[in-house]
Amino acid sequence: MAELVMVHGIGPQRETEEELHRNWVRTLARTLRDHGHPGQAARLEDGSLTVAMAYYRHLYDRYAPRNEWDMPLPEPVAAAGEDVAEDIADNIRQHASDPAARDEATRALDELHAEVGPEQGPAEVLRMFVAMLGRLGPIARSGFAALSSTGVFHLGQVAAYLEDETVREGAIEAVLSRVTPDTRAVVAHSLGTVVAYEALHRLEQPLPLLLTFGSPLGLRSVIRRRLRPQPLRSPAHVKRWVNVADRDDFIVATLRLRTLFPDDDAVLERTRLVKNRNTDPHAATQYLRHWETVEPLAELL
């Protein structure tokens, strides 16, 4: 029974459930304390406010590279990863804060489209996209695609969730198994926002708050087309949904997620914008440093 359920996103295979749990809780407690909520911070740290991490990264074991040249992605997963990579570059082109970064992404996409021919298979095209992403400033500074195999694996996690029903159902079950009638908030990052979105549509009891940040919900060519259920709408039992984004977070598909949902959807609020550190604008702990992210939890917990 957890009052707060956290849902992680893409990341290294070696990052354990315990590490994620510890880092998120520590950062959240620090932000609460820094903004005048020492009691809630103390409850987080001593465990009297119960917190669970919905962990599903082990489901990607079969897709984890064994070395720099290994890329064990089946063709449908590699093709989906290519679409995700293109959307990420387009995110930078559309809303990066630095005009130079937007121009850089535009040139890279033009060059890549000129180079990609019908003779290349999805795996090789995906590798080319990862190489291109690694040259873009917002991504290069984060180390997201520092190694080809690392970048492919990160993108592969998103693609495998969309293409591999075992991964998808396992991740959804990881969330639903943690959410109980005592749960007051689900906090989700990155791909975890997609998992939480789909899982909470199956929820059968009220949930006071869904808090998402660094979300790829709304990616044009992949996620918006494949999200379940369609059309887009807030999960029926969620009472409030707060979304947070950094315009330099390359995973963020849109800074106006609210516009993708029906006009009469009163659950999802207007996206809150924050500025994370340039070295890692997508990191979950960067988002949890901001009061704009943590405030809804402080009100609730």
Side-chain angles (χ1 to χ4, degrees):
M1 296 186 295
E3 295 171 79
L4 177 60
V5 173
M6 304 180 294
V7 190
H8 65 81
I10 59 176
Q13 193 77 352
R14 65 180 180 277
E15 196 171 36
T16 66
E17 178 179 350
E18 292 74 20
E19 289 172 324
L20 285 162
H21 184 284
R22 181 173 61 250
N23 291 338
W24 284 36
V25 167
R26 181 171 54 202
T27 306
L28 179 55
R30 184 184 303 123
T31 303
L32 285 167
R33 184 171 284 111
D34 289 347
H35 288 84
H37 294 266
Q40 291 172 327
R43 289 182 61 217
L44 268 174
E45 292 168 331
D46 67 18
S48 57
L49 197 161
T50 53
V51 181
M53 176 65 71
Y55 187 79
Y56 57 92
R57 206 165 284 166
H58 60 285
L59 299 173
Y60 294 110
D61 285 347
R62 62 177 290 210
Y63 300 114
R66 292 164 294 184
N67 54 56
E68 168 58 10
W69 304 106
D70 188 32
M71 196 174 66
L73 300 182
E75 186 168 307
V77 174
E82 175 193 336
D83 289 341
V84 174
E86 183 167 11
D87 273 349
I88 289 173
D90 199 46
N91 291 343
I92 298 172
R93 181 188 66 80
Q94 289 196 72
H95 56 65
S97 62
D98 183 357
R102 296 197 297 267
D103 292 343
E104 184 181 36
T106 300
R107 287 194 300 272
L109 282 169
D110 288 344
E111 292 173 5
L112 190 61
H113 289 153
E115 293 174 8
V116 172
E119 70 279 0
Q120 284 129 341
E124 183 56 32
V125 173
L126 177 57
R127 196 183 293 276
M128 293 169 64
F129 265 98
V130 168
M132 177 267 287
L133 291 177
R135 297 195 300 269
L136 301 182
I139 297 179
R141 288 191 295 273
S142 74
F144 175 84
L147 296 173
S148 177
S149 58
T150 300
V152 167
F153 179 54
H154 285 169
L155 290 172
Q157 290 176 49
V158 181
Y161 177 83
L162 297 169
E163 291 289 337
D164 186 330
E165 286 299 316
T166 300
V167 170
R168 192 176 206 145
E169 290 301 318
I172 288 172
E173 177 56 28
V175 174
L176 293 178
S177 66
R178 295 293 198 176
V179 176
T180 71
D182 297 314
T183 302
R184 307 196 69 195
V186 169
V187 178
H189 171 240
S190 187
L191 175 61
T193 69
V194 179
V195 181
Y197 172 88
E198 296 196 334
L200 295 180
H201 272 286
R202 304 183 187 182
L203 196 64
E204 296 181 353
Q205 73 261 3
L207 178 72
L209 175 66
L210 170 60
L211 174 62
T212 56
F213 43 91
S215 176
L217 282 165
L219 283 175
R220 293 172 307 283
S221 64
V222 180
I223 293 177
R224 250 166 63 195
R225 189 172 71 224
R226 305 187 191 196
L227 274 178
R228 302 171 186 166
Q230 290 281 0
L232 295 178
R233 62 184 184 273
S234 294
H237 293 288
V238 172
K239 302 306 177 184
R240 183 187 185 193
W241 180 356
V242 176
N243 185 57
V244 186
D246 177 338
R247 67 173 56 251
D248 290 316
D249 181 349
F250 42 86
I251 299 296
V252 169
T254 176
L255 301 177
R256 298 186 296 171
L257 185 61
R258 179 70 187 79
T259 63
L260 304 180
F261 285 69
D263 291 340
D264 62 353
D265 189 324
V267 175
L268 175 59
E269 300 178 4
R270 182 177 180 179
T271 295
R272 301 180 177 201
L273 297 181
V274 298
K275 181 67 178 109
N276 295 330
R277 292 176 182 168
N278 287 336
T279 52
D280 201 354
H282 182 60
T285 52
Q286 288 293 316
Y287 278 102
L288 290 171
R289 289 173 56 248
H290 294 286
W291 184 239
E292 292 88 344
T293 306
V294 176
E295 181 199 20
L297 289 172
E299 295 174 2
L300 184 67
L301 302 175

